[in-house]
Amino acid sequence: MTGAKRKKKSMPWSKMRMPRCEDFKLWCRRRLPILEWATHYSLKESLLPDTVSGMMLAVQQVAQGLAFAVLSSVHPVFGLYGSLFPAIIYAIFGMGRHVATGTFALTSLISANAVERLVPLSSQNLTTRSNTSVLGLSDFEMQRISVAAAVSFLGGVIQVAMFVLQLGSATFLITEPVVSAMTTGAATHVVTSQAKYLLGMKMPHISGPLGFFYIYAYIFKNIKSVRLEALLLSLLSIVVLVLVKELNEQFKRKIKIVLPVDLVLMIATSLTCYCTNMENTYGLEVVGHIPKGIPPPRAPPMNILSAVITEAFGVALVGYVASLALAQGSAKKFRYSVDDNQEFLAHGLSNVIASFFFCIPSAAAMGRTAGLYSTGAKTQVACLISCIFVLIVIYTIGPLLYWLPMCVLASIIVVGLKGMLIQFRDLKRYWNVDKIDWGIWVSTYIFTICFAANVGLLFGVVCTTAIVIGRFPRANTLSTKNMKEMEFKVKTEMDDETLQRVKIISINNPLVFLNAKKFYNDIMNIIQKENTGNQPHDEIRKYEQSTLVSSLSGICNEEATQPCLNPKCSLILDCSGLTFSDYTGVSMLIEVYMDCKNKSVDVCLVHCAASLVKAMKYCGNLDSEKPIFFESVSAAISNMHLNKNLSILSDHSEI
């Protein structure tokens, strides 16, 4: 008996197998996405556009690196390092092929709170330079970058921990209105923080709750101290930047290389300031000495990690959310997938490793990512090429930027935030689609303005979750019996052949941010199954009824994912069970329609509420020539029959 027991206990071990070489290769391809796309990289088709995009991106990286370093309350040279190392690391581990990682306004603003709190300006000693200090910078500057690097390190550790805990799957809680309101509010904070440079004023660092309003109160109180020269140069810079960038956007299809207006403006103003000695004549503040080279790596100070934990969480969450939104947008635009958890790992390592090279917290920026779109970048090779040019600036051109006026850098920051600031236009769309989402946007923006970006993000998530939980108990679903009766009615009204070439799917849940992504995946799983064309004709003519989802999360069973459609078919979505939807749900319905249209799948929606029809027509570019909305399944099938837009297979599923 004892031997038998021992033999039984050893059975699980006998079933375990040693890791094989194929398993290791698969793991590497999952965790190192560069191995996936680099092996298929086409030098002939992609190298030239990636090179051009990399050159244009390098200009943005240098300008924003200097500007966001100042925003983070550290020496400008550390912004150049922050434009180099995070971009290299993300290119290796990140899945967004058109995402430009580097210095970021929101994370810089958050880390500035820790820098100003732990190393205030009052502790500065301008008269001493330590011979042992890095790059000849003062001990004061090195103390400040040490705090910023500690924030970057701890923020990256938090992101890696979230990757280990697989918390990327929880990002569905962060809806588009919340992200839009949070980033718009944070961008407003950044513009406010640059007011002292735009106006040429001396102003103490003001932060904390309601700090946004205290800054403007200080400005109006000391309005007489505004330097007219700095104000005029700021206005001129903003006008030039906006005008040239609009012209670049308008004529980007006619010209292959856009004008790098940021670089031209930096060179022109630096030369003007040098020739006219504006620093001494008009009192304009300039960037100052930028040392050459990259210092040897040094570990961030671990003794202050507990003091920066609040800022580290803000950097981890705000940076990840903003970056993930850009990665998902590029993946949707260029038809590839992004793993939410892998993005946690990529951005976490970008912050952790870069913190050893005196880098401020990093994330993806909307302006740089949009620049990659407009210049035709194909892969992350564009970012790697930009790193080469940034490296050239660090070792050769950097010291020549001594005379660059700070008000010009502030203007570059403000114009670079244009994409975030114009998100105010989203309010009209939210109002027409779902007024509750409109209210969430406004309240999240107010909380972000009054407190901070991480506070606004947390409020938005809690608010949306609470509202959905309050609305879900009113949700009604169709029963299987009712569906059978409707199926029988359709069969008696229409000929048998017509019904068998249509797939009818009943949506039996509210469609909101909680289940919108799973709903999309369930629909696509049904459509994209292969080998249906090779099935026997008798098998195709069988009519099945399957149930995909009736739970909140929208998990589908095995029957629902059986092969059902050829590439050409017709799909009817019965929305009688869709009791309510938010902006995310409406957007997902439109995405389903557009993707099906691209796959030559005709889509009809039946039993739609008037509010849903209005929201979909307002929110998306629907086909105006062909009717989409019908009062009943019978009417939809009749329309399909008359237009002869039928394909193969009839299958009935409930979602």
Side-chain angles (χ1 to χ4, degrees):
M1 293 292 293
T2 306
K5 287 183 179 179
R6 287 179 182 172
K7 188 176 181 180
K8 189 174 182 180
K9 284 185 178 180
S10 65
M11 284 293 290
W13 294 100
S14 64
K15 294 181 179 179
M16 295 182 64
R17 61 180 178 86
M18 293 295 293
R20 296 177 300 177
C21 182
E22 290 76 8
D23 297 332
F24 178 72
K25 290 181 179 179
L26 180 62
W27 182 87
C28 288
R29 293 176 78 90
R30 287 182 59 196
R31 298 306 169 212
L32 298 171
I34 190 174
L35 300 177
E36 184 70 28
W37 58 262
T39 54
H40 303 93
Y41 188 78
S42 174
L43 293 175
K44 184 178 180 180
E45 296 180 0
S46 303
L47 184 59
L48 180 59
D50 279 344
T51 302
V52 174
S53 298
M55 294 173 62
M56 297 298 103
L57 177 61
V59 174
Q60 288 183 299
Q61 289 278 36
V62 170
Q64 293 184 0
L66 296 172
F68 294 155
V70 174
L71 180 61
S72 192
S73 297
V74 300
H75 194 278
V77 72
F78 298 117
L80 297 179
Y81 305 153
S83 300
L84 175 65
F85 293 102
I88 296 174
I89 298 166
Y90 182 83
I92 298 173
F93 294 95
M95 298 188 72
R97 300 174 194 170
H98 302 80
V99 173
T101 303
T103 55
F104 185 45
L106 307 189
T107 54
S108 297
L109 187 64
I110 294 173
S111 66
N113 294 331
V115 172
E116 294 288 351
R117 188 179 74 251
L118 298 179
V119 190
L121 195 62
S122 58
S123 65
Q124 183 178 14
N125 186 357
L126 297 175
T127 60
T128 62
R129 283 274 198 280
S130 174
N131 293 329
T132 60
S133 186
V134 178
L135 298 175
L137 297 175
S138 66
D139 291 335
F140 172 77
E141 294 291 355
M142 296 311 301
Q143 290 174 8
R144 286 203 151 193
I145 188 56
S146 296
V147 174
V151 174
S152 177
F153 174 81
L154 187 55
V157 169
I158 293 171
Q159 289 174 328
V160 173
M162 290 179 174
F163 160 75
V164 174
L165 297 174
Q166 298 290 292
L167 294 182
S169 57
T171 54
F172 69 90
L173 293 172
I174 306 173
T175 63
E176 184 179 335
V178 172
V179 175
S180 174
M182 183 271 292
T183 53
T184 306
T188 309
H189 268 297
V190 174
V191 172
T192 301
S193 69
Q194 296 304 295
K196 62 180 180 181
Y197 297 115
L198 295 172
L199 302 175
M201 296 177 62
K202 297 292 184 181
M203 184 188 304
H205 181 78
I206 301 175
S207 61
L210 304 180
F212 173 84
F213 303 100
Y214 291 135
I215 291 175
Y216 284 106
Y218 182 92
I219 291 174
F220 286 113
K221 186 178 179 180
N222 300 273
I223 195 70
K224 294 182 179 180
S225 63
V226 173
R227 291 188 179 274
L228 185 60
E229 298 83 5
L231 177 60
L232 293 176
L233 186 56
S234 299
L235 292 175
L236 179 62
S237 300
I238 291 174
V239 170
V240 171
L241 287 169
V242 172
L243 182 62
V244 176
K245 289 189 175 184
E246 286 295 327
L247 291 175
N248 283 339
E249 186 67 23
Q250 186 174 355
F251 296 103
K252 65 180 180 181
R253 295 182 179 179
K254 298 181 181 179
I255 54 177
K256 294 183 178 180
I257 300 178
V258 297
L259 177 64
V261 60
D262 295 20
L263 178 62
V264 173
L265 182 65
M266 290 168 61
I267 295 174
T269 53
S270 296
L271 289 175
T272 304
C273 187
Y274 172 75
C275 295
T276 59
N277 195 19
M278 287 186 178
E279 182 183 14
N280 298 320
T281 306
Y282 301 107
L284 281 183
E285 187 177 356
V286 296
V287 170
H289 173 65
I290 297 181
K292 290 183 180 180
I294 299 176
R298 179 191 295 179
M302 301 298 168
N303 58 327
I304 64 171
L305 294 183
S306 59
V308 299
I309 190 169
T310 302
E311 288 81 8
F313 266 105
V315 164
L317 295 178
V318 173
Y320 172 75
V321 168
S323 302
L324 181 64
L326 294 175
Q328 290 176 338
S330 66
K332 181 180 177 181
K333 184 180 182 67
F334 296 99
R335 302 288 177 179
Y336 60 88
S337 61
V338 170
D339 183 358
D340 298 350
N341 284 308
Q342 181 65 25
E343 290 298 291
F344 260 132
L345 177 64
H347 289 288
L349 293 178
S350 296
N351 279 311
V352 170
I353 298 175
S355 66
F356 287 81
F357 294 90
F358 304 95
C359 293
I360 59 179
S362 63
M366 182 182 293
R368 296 194 298 266
T369 302
L372 289 179
Y373 291 170
S374 61
T375 53
K378 301 295 183 182
T379 63
Q380 278 289 325
V381 171
C383 296
L384 294 176
I385 291 175
S386 75
C387 293
I388 297 175
F389 289 98
V390 172
L391 202 59
I392 294 174
V393 171
I394 292 174
Y395 277 95
T396 59
I397 306 175
L400 300 179
L401 298 173
Y402 178 98
W403 298 98
L404 179 62
M406 292 298 298
C407 60
V408 175
L409 268 184
S411 302
I412 293 174
I413 292 179
V414 172
V415 177
L417 295 171
K418 176 190 171 186
M420 294 184 183
L421 294 173
I422 62 175
Q423 290 179 134
F424 278 109
R425 297 184 302 187
D426 295 343
L427 281 172
K428 183 179 179 181
R429 185 166 73 249
Y430 294 135
W431 178 265
N432 286 278
V433 175
D434 185 13
K435 292 179 175 56
I436 292 180
D437 276 343
W438 181 89
I440 291 173
W441 196 103
V442 172
S443 57
T444 301
Y445 177 81
I446 292 174
F447 263 76
T448 303
I449 287 295
C450 294
F451 300 99
N454 50 346
V455 177
L457 178 64
L458 179 62
F459 170 81
V461 171
V462 172
C463 187
T464 52
T465 305
I467 288 175
V468 169
I469 291 175
R471 295 170 76 184
F472 252 108
R474 298 179 296 170
N476 299 316
T477 58
L478 292 179
S479 65
T480 305
K481 180 179 179 181
N482 289 338
M483 290 305 301
K484 286 181 178 178
E485 291 175 356
M486 187 175 64
E487 170 198 334
F488 177 77
K489 180 180 180 181
V490 173
K491 281 186 177 180
T492 56
E493 290 185 1
M494 303 300 301
D495 59 284
D496 186 62
E497 183 182 2
T498 300
L499 182 63
Q500 290 182 1
R501 295 177 181 176
V502 178
K503 182 163 186 66
I504 307 170
I505 298 179
S506 175
I507 305 176
N508 284 344
N509 283 302
L511 193 55
V512 293
F513 70 94
L514 291 173
N515 60 352
K517 187 174 182 180
K518 193 61 174 66
F519 164 80
Y520 175 84
N521 291 335
D522 288 340
I523 295 287
M524 292 299 111
N525 284 340
I526 296 172
I527 295 175
Q528 293 176 352
K529 287 300 177 178
E530 300 178 354
N531 301 324
T532 55
N534 297 327
Q535 293 180 358
H537 185 67
D538 292 338
E539 213 175 298
I540 293 177
R541 290 176 62 86
K542 291 182 180 178
Y543 188 87
E544 297 178 350
Q545 179 175 352
S546 58
T547 303
L548 282 177
V549 178
S550 57
S551 62
L552 174 64
S553 61
I555 300 175
C556 62
N557 62 18
E558 296 180 359
E559 292 181 359
T561 59
Q562 295 300 316
C564 58
L565 292 177
N566 269 340
K568 179 70 176 177
C569 62
S570 298
L571 183 68
I572 295 178
L573 296 180
D574 184 357
C575 301
S576 56
L578 203 162
T579 48
F580 65 87
S581 59
D582 61 2
Y583 179 81
T584 305
V586 173
S587 300
M588 197 59 70
L589 267 178
I590 295 172
E591 186 173 346
V592 167
Y593 170 79
M594 298 305 296
D595 286 357
C596 289
K597 184 179 178 182
N598 293 334
K599 297 176 186 294
S600 299
V601 177
D602 295 323
V603 179
C604 296
L605 284 80
V606 301
H607 299 134
C608 297
S611 58
L612 178 63
V613 175
K614 178 184 176 183
M616 290 188 66
K617 287 182 177 179
Y618 183 84
C619 196
N621 297 321
L622 302 179
D623 195 343
S624 58
E625 298 179 358
K626 189 186 302 181
I628 300 170
F629 303 99
F630 298 91
E631 295 182 356
S632 65
V633 176
S634 303
I637 295 178
S638 299
N639 180 76
M640 292 178 180
H641 183 60
L642 291 174
N643 293 327
K644 298 181 180 180
N645 288 328
L646 302 175
S647 187
I648 302 174
L649 192 60
S650 172
D651 198 26
H652 190 131
S653 302
E654 288 186 14
I655 291 182

